[in-house]
Amino acid sequence: MPSEPNSSIDTTAENTNNENQPSTSTGVVKKPAKTHKFIVKVTALERVGNSTNQRENPIVIFDLFTDVPAFRKQQHRGVKKTADEFKELFRYLVAAVQETFVPSLPATCSSYGPNTDEDRHKTMKNYQEWLERIAADPLLLKNEEVAFFVQSDFGTYSPINNPPTQPASGLKRKTLKQLAPPYDEVLQLAEFRPLVKSVHRVSQEVQSKLSKVSKQRRLLSQEETALGQGFTALQNDTHAHSGLYKRFGRVLAAAGDVDSVESTLEVATFADAMGWLVKDTYVVKEALTNRHLIMRELLQAQQSSRGKQEHARKLRAKRDASPLKVDEALRALRAATLLEQELTAKQRLITNNMLSMRSQWLQWYESFVTSAIKEFTLRKIEYERKKLTLLERVRHDVRRADNAGGLSRLGREAHPPSLLRSPPRNSQGLEGDDWAGDQRRRSSLLSQHDSVTNTDFDRVVTADEQQTLNPTVTSDPTAAESTDASGDNAGGTGTTTYSANGEQDINDTSLDARNAASLLGLATF
């Protein structure tokens, strides 16, 4: 098995009620249950068939090592499961293990679009996280249906056992949910369901609003591209500033491309995360609703038991009571008492397990939202700075539009002629950042590999220079370098580009290992 620490999980499958068990009369504490290992790693993702099947039913390939007794062997390599098989397992676990919060399945396709490197990396990461959450829950890990799922042949899995019925379903469930919940003496769980419901609604609202913002940004990018093409059409070789119009139009068109990439990133990084959170909070909310329904059944069973006990006492007090009726009342009383005991034990077990799973779910929720916000913010910063770099490409041309400094002074005093002749310094780079006021050291080698001053959209702006050097290159502003779903295409030779996971990839043909390590150690932002 691979030994990457961040792609595997070593879980401890212990009895969740051990901490609630009292010590023996001799003062000796009972030993905890045997621990089990469950190490899993998603290694590949395949999309086959037509476009609908590729999007809705991908194939997840993972390796597994475990010593849980339900598995026939410890190592399972190259296990292939379709998304439909994952859904079958999820539906069974939700119905069978009602005393825990079963993690909801991630989306089968991200907003990056199928058959892209970003989508493959994102989907694999989500399924890896789902399997790790299953392994972290002892109740789910010890369920024999998980072993059947792993050990079944590809494309043949269906639940072997029949799951227990839900406390209520259909119209009856909807009706009972409209009633006030029964009194809950466990304050933590009584306050937990309104909290989860609030998170569910807020996540839905955030996802909806972010989708609308992304749609408007996509329309804005189209208008920016049209505006850039309009400036390019103003080119007139006899005009003194025709080069300025053409270059400024290309910069606007490239800025529109950046906005188009940002519209995809906003949905793929944050809206998709909120969509997964919406599904997960719904599962948690329904599990807490099942507990309320069981509590309501327990109250009804207690009331029925008291009524049958009173009825049997009255029959036995009568002198002329029929022995058959007395025996029938006693049998009904024993059945009601047994049902009350079963519901009491079930309600107590669910409460204890949900108390322990509550803190675990809150920890996952905090880390998940923090990770989504971090990814969204870093990608926004990255492409906003790329847009700023593109706009700075035309800053010097605007200043040279006239002797007074062009538009750079905005009607104030004339710009010094010495500064007009020298190109302006970039506002951001490895030597520092004018926006944040940071200052860093930078060697002559690092200046050749500045990932901020070289963006993925340079070919749109420098089309004229390429046409001069190579007449076969087209100067059509629409023939720009196509970007993938996240806009992370490789730049020119010797420049720094970004991989699917947001890390920097450097052309190793001009850097050795030491210089590459130094470059990666100096972050630009």
Side-chain angles (χ1 to χ4, degrees), residues 213-274:
V213 170
S214 176
K215 182 178 180 180
Q216 296 300 323
R217 188 180 295 276
R218 191 175 294 111
L219 296 176
L220 174 63
S221 66
Q222 296 176 1
E223 297 298 331
E224 286 180 336
T225 302
L227 178 62
Q229 293 175 354
F231 266 96
T232 305
L234 293 177
Q235 176 188 358
N236 186 0
D237 295 337
T238 61
H239 197 277
H241 307 301
S242 60
L244 172 62
Y245 296 151
K246 185 175 182 179
R247 189 174 182 85
F248 185 67
R250 293 186 181 276
V251 167
L252 288 180
D257 294 339
V258 176
D259 282 332
S260 178
V261 172
E262 286 190 23
S263 65
T264 303
L265 287 176
E266 289 174 348
V267 180
T269 56
F270 201 65
D272 287 356
M274 291 296 102

Side-chain angles (χ1 to χ4, degrees), residues 179-184 292 296:
L179 303 177
Y183 173 76
D184 193 352
H292 286 172
R296 198 183 300 277

Side-chain angles (χ1 to χ4, degrees), residues 423-443:
R425 184 177 66 88
N426 290 328
S427 64
Q428 54 185 338
L430 289 178
E431 78 283 354
D433 187 357
D434 291 347
W435 302 101
D438 298 334
Q439 297 293 333
R440 302 185 183 95
R441 292 184 301 175
R442 168 170 148 176
S443 63

